Amino acid sequence: MAKILIATVKPFSAEAVAEVKRVLSEANHDVEVLEKYPDQSALINAVRDPDALIIRSDIVDRQVLEAAKNLKIVVRAGAGYDNVDLEAATEKGVVVMNTPGQNSNAVAELAFGMMVYMNRNGFTPSAGIELRGKKLGIHAYGYVGRIVGMIGKGFGMKVYAFDPFIDRIFIENDGVVYAENVRELYSKCQYLSLHLPSTTETRGSVNFDLLNLMPEGATLVNTARKEVIDEGGLLKMFRERPDFRYLSDIAPDCKEELETNFRERCFFTPKKMGAQTAEANKNAGIAAARQIVRFLEKGDTTFKVN
Ligand code: 3PG
């Protein structure tokens, strides 16, 4: 019997927690839940005993890993694992996994929710604009990007994608236009949806030079990570391009400046909520629980990222 801790500053729905607990207790594991904890010290205290940890965007840094003497596995219930210190985990022999694809639909739907909200002037009666017939660029064609492409086609948009790690044939098979390079993607599309992970290569890579290639009506949609944007370039875009709009599920550091000066052209969700649906909570939570069970019982390391 192992001890599993579900540590989520931003809790899963109660139904999802119940399902996760059911999966783990059916496999004879003990489950503890730490939700909405006030600071890192609460997490550090809670990780001392557990063998396994389920988290969301919770920060699992070296300090947490050092306190977690029995820890064997951390599963990030979600896609991005930039919140986990992989190097420290590897040094300590802790396996880190994510649950790719499990919350993608929720994130993709939010991208369109924000586009429609902005195009309809915040759901006010003044005349808005439609998505139909516009070009949508998908920057990074992973699980979320792919669903964004499908939904975009449903809206009647012409969809383009760029991803240096995905073959042309895979993108074209989805009826999506393959962009040869990132500059081509930005030059063609009025709407640009970001699905990049935050890595040393991608941080700050969406910069003024790239954004300024976008045609009239340039709208950047970010449901990925704020770090991929060069905020100096973002501000310059707002100042130099009166047509530019930015919608994000992860407020930038320069949020206040943007909201003060360009309120009509930006929108930020009050708190990151892309993956916050009943379905995504359940899918990602249950996947994390099952991965832990398989790892503890059979040593299965599918979805290991370190
Ligand atoms: C992810 O990486 O899976 C998404 O950004 C969702 O993150 P969250 O679990 O913190 O909502």
Side-chain angles (χ1 to χ4, degrees), residues 3-158:
K3 201 166 178 182
I4 323 291
L5 175 69
I6 305 171
T8 47
V9 164
K10 181 172 54 184
F12 290 127
S13 66
E15 294 77 11
V17 174
E19 285 289 298
V20 173
K21 279 183 167 170
R22 187 186 53 76
V23 171
L24 294 169
S25 41
E26 274 174 14
N28 288 318
H29 298 307
D30 263 356
V31 188
E32 272 178 28
V33 182
L34 175 72
E35 290 178 337
K36 295 187 189 165
Y37 52 91
D39 50 33
Q40 278 300 95
S41 65
L43 178 61
I44 289 168
N45 276 329
V47 294
R48 297 196 192 279
D49 279 349
D51 302 276
L53 184 57
I54 296 178
I55 53 159
R56 296 184 65 177
S57 294
D58 305 79
I59 308 296
V60 175
D61 55 14
R62 188 171 285 276
Q63 230 193 329
V64 172
L65 288 159
E66 260 154 25
K69 299 286 178 227
N70 295 326
L71 196 65
K72 293 154 193 73
I73 176 167
V74 178
V75 182
R76 193 282 191 240
Y81 44 86
D82 45 316
N83 48 324
V84 182
D85 185 335
L86 295 188
E87 206 179 289
T90 306
E91 273 171 36
K92 303 216 38 92
V94 174
V95 166
V96 182
M97 295 183 185
N98 66 347
T99 64
Q102 300 293 343
N103 58 16
S104 308
N105 189 67
V107 177
E109 286 190 12
L110 183 73
F112 285 92
M114 291 196 291
M115 285 185 241
V116 172
Y117 179 80
M118 175 58 78
N119 277 4
R120 296 305 184 92
N121 307 311
F123 298 142
T124 55
S126 51
I129 43 177
E130 299 181 18
L131 290 172
R132 189 179 174 82
K134 309 295 189 308
K135 290 179 179 153
L136 169 66
I138 300 173
H139 190 165
Y141 200 66
Y143 288 93
V144 185
R146 212 171 162 186
I147 301 173
V148 165
M150 273 161 41
I151 301 175
K153 283 195 279 173
F155 269 99
M157 302 180 88
K158 179 149 191 194

Side-chain angles (χ1 to χ4, degrees), residues 229-288:
I229 309 266
D230 166 30
E231 292 201 11
L234 183 72
L235 278 160
K236 192 169 175 202
M237 261 312 268
F238 271 99
R239 285 192 208 106
E240 296 193 6
R241 289 272 304 260
D243 62 311
F244 179 68
R245 304 181 300 169
Y246 182 48
L247 320 171
S248 181
D249 188 29
I250 328 94
D253 295 335
C254 61
K255 170 179 187 266
E256 224 175 275
E257 190 171 349
L258 291 182
E259 285 184 338
T260 308
N261 298 306
F262 312 104
R263 178 161 285 285
E264 309 286 281
R265 296 196 274 132
C266 62
F267 171 76
F268 309 115
T269 54
K271 202 168 182 186
K272 184 167 161 240
M273 53 166 290
Q276 205 55 327
T277 64
E279 294 88 341
N281 280 186
K282 265 198 200 168
N283 293 343
I286 293 172

